[in-house]
Amino acid sequence: MFEQLVIAAKEAYNKAYAPYSNFHVGAAALTTEGQIVNGCNVENASYGLTVCAERNCIAQGVIQGQRKFTELVVYTEEDVLTPPCGACRQVIVEFMAQNAKVYAVNHAGEVKLWSVAELLPDAFTPENLQK
Ligand SMILES: O=c1ccn([C@H]2C[C@H](O)[C@@H](CO)O2)c(=O)[nH]1
Ligand SMILES: [Zn+2]
């Protein structure tokens, strides 16, 4: 399953729209129903409107009716593995359990693995909104 996620993340990577940073990213996630969804980063001439691959991937899952993901792969062709940015970590926490897995993978086949809890300890979650 991990290898299929890497393939899906690479497919998304090849669609990245990143003319400003030239930093292409693809992501793929596995839903609890066994479906794979993917997404790439989409930049904008108004730079701050850029959306990362991870958030577009999760949004794609939500569009497909999927709100729970067990694994997410972030793929780049950089020598240094790419971790999710802070904004994406917050969005990941919304849709992935604390023990769910997030992998960074590169073209050399190097892999780094984190749990969601490691990426964003003591996260603000929907539970914090309960009065
Ligand atoms: O984990 C990451 C880190 C960065 N980016 C994108 C945002 C922007 O388009 C480019 C450079 O920051 O890479 C992602 O998609 N995911
Ligand atoms: Zn991000």
Side-chain angles (χ1 to χ4, degrees):
M1 196 50 81
F2 172 74
E3 281 309 321
Q4 286 169 262
L5 280 173
V6 173
I7 289 167
K10 280 184 188 174
E11 277 173 12
Y13 172 91
N14 287 324
K15 294 178 182 157
Y17 177 71
Y20 307 107
S21 71
N22 207 30
F23 192 90
H24 293 217
V25 187
L30 179 66
T31 74
T32 49
E33 293 184 4
Q35 190 180 336
I36 289 177
V37 291
N38 62 5
C40 60
N41 55 330
V42 179
E43 299 189 344
N44 193 276
S46 176
Y47 301 158
L49 299 185
T50 290
V51 183
C52 297
E54 298 92 319
R55 275 177 287 152
N56 278 332
C57 174
I58 287 173
Q60 180 59 37
V62 173
I63 289 162
Q64 305 282 332
Q66 302 297 315
R67 297 177 179 176
K68 288 182 183 164
F69 309 93
T70 54
E71 292 177 50
L72 185 145
V73 167
V74 183
Y75 179 80
T76 57
E77 298 197 347
E78 307 298 320
D79 291 339
V80 176
L81 291 163
T82 301
C85 79
C88 289
R89 292 178 193 213
Q90 183 66 33
V91 172
I92 285 168
V93 160
E94 186 84 15
F95 296 103
M96 296 181 76
Q98 293 279 289
N99 65 350
K101 294 171 178 174
V102 177
Y103 300 91
V105 180
N106 69 7
H107 58 306
E110 293 170 314
V111 179
K112 184 161 183 178
L113 166 65
W114 302 269
S115 67
V116 169
E118 284 171 330
L119 286 177
L120 194 59
D122 302 319
F124 178 74
T125 71
E127 284 167 26
N128 293 107
L129 293 172
Q130 302 305 320
K131 298 208 173 97

